Amino acid sequence: MTYTSSTVLVPDVSAVPRHIAIIMDGNGRWATQRRLPRVAGHSRGVDAVRATVEACARRGVEYLTLFAFSSENWRRPEDEVSFLMRLFVTALEREIGKLHANGIKLRVVGDLSAFDRRIQDLIRRAETKTARNTRLTLTIAANYGGRWDIMQATRKLVDEAALTGRPVEVSEEAFSEHLAMAYAPEPDLFIRTGGEQRVSNFLLWQLAYTEFYFTDTFWPDFDADALNHAIGSYTERERRFGRTSAQLETQSPQSQNADSLSC
Ligand code: FPP
């Protein structure tokens, strides 16, 4: 299993983040500033997705996770929601060949049962086609919410215990195996564009020791330079995982168990 918990073991830290998670915010404001309909910002947002995937692959990022549609986004006007669905389908149909040719594995996480059957089939086909790729795992979070993820993992844990007749195993390891992104390490770097500084029910469990980077840049303007800037900021951070700076100078990251140390 790839999942390693930053609160159980101190993870290995590399100069380039292994896993970047992004809240792509500011599409609507980008469009409004240009007197365009909000949805024009979403369309340009797809170009920024393409540029960011390419830049991450070039920089050697192993996992890129994008928050495309939250559990709460259903509250938007109906025509904006249906535009976003159509955009997602069109982008997936258009880009999947290129993703595959470039060694990118696609995963989609979230409560997909809310999407119509055609979208669900398209997602499954795209995931199957790219399943063996290893260069970069691109995860699209769609109808995803951090609380939904924690709830669905808990339900699976309880169901599993009921099925086997064994008591529920309440441990980080047993629980995290059921999270939607159990296949990925926790994000090293969280980026939110568009000037807001909140987590908005994204990967609540997994962001425990993630470095946060907020930028005023609207998502449609986010590109390779903006990504490099975010990675540059990350590289300057000291990731202590509960330890002191003095410990970092003398100890290898793998040798410490964060649980036994004070914060
Ligand atoms: C937030 O901006 C953006 C979204 C809710 C949708 C993001 C979706 C895309 C960029 C398309 C993704 C497509 C694929 C294939 C992954 P906002 O509308 O909240 O902007 P605002 O805060 O300025 O109103």
Side-chain angles (χ1 to χ4, degrees), residues 5-27:
S5 165
S6 56
T7 52
V8 174
L9 278 175
V10 177
D12 220 355
V13 171
S14 50
V16 172
R18 280 187 79 196
H19 183 176
I20 299 181
I22 306 183
I23 295 188
M24 309 178 287
D25 198 11
N27 292 348

Side-chain angles (χ1 to χ4, degrees), residues 63 100 158:
Y63 298 86
H100 186 46
V158 171

Side-chain angles (χ1 to χ4, degrees), residues 49-59 64 98 104 135-136:
V49 168
R50 194 180 302 109
T52 303
V53 171
E54 283 173 11
C56 281
R58 273 200 302 270
R59 294 287 320 249
L64 171 65
K98 198 172 159 204
I104 293 164
R135 187 174 177 200
L136 165 72

Side-chain angles (χ1 to χ4, degrees), residues 45-103:
V46 175
D47 297 336
V49 168
R50 194 180 302 109
T52 303
V53 171
E54 283 173 11
C56 281
R58 273 200 302 270
R59 294 287 320 249
V61 173
E62 294 171 55
Y63 298 86
L64 171 65
T65 302
L66 302 175
F67 207 3
F69 194 84
S70 77
S71 330
E72 291 73 44
N73 282 151
W74 296 107
R75 297 171 184 163
R76 293 189 173 212
E78 209 179 308
D79 53 351
E80 185 170 335
V81 170
S82 56
F83 182 90
L84 279 168
M85 295 296 154
R86 281 199 309 278
L87 189 66
F88 180 59
V89 168
T90 314
L92 206 55
E93 284 172 335
R94 205 177 44 210
E95 304 291 342
I96 195 62
K98 198 172 159 204
L99 289 175
H100 186 46
N102 282 284

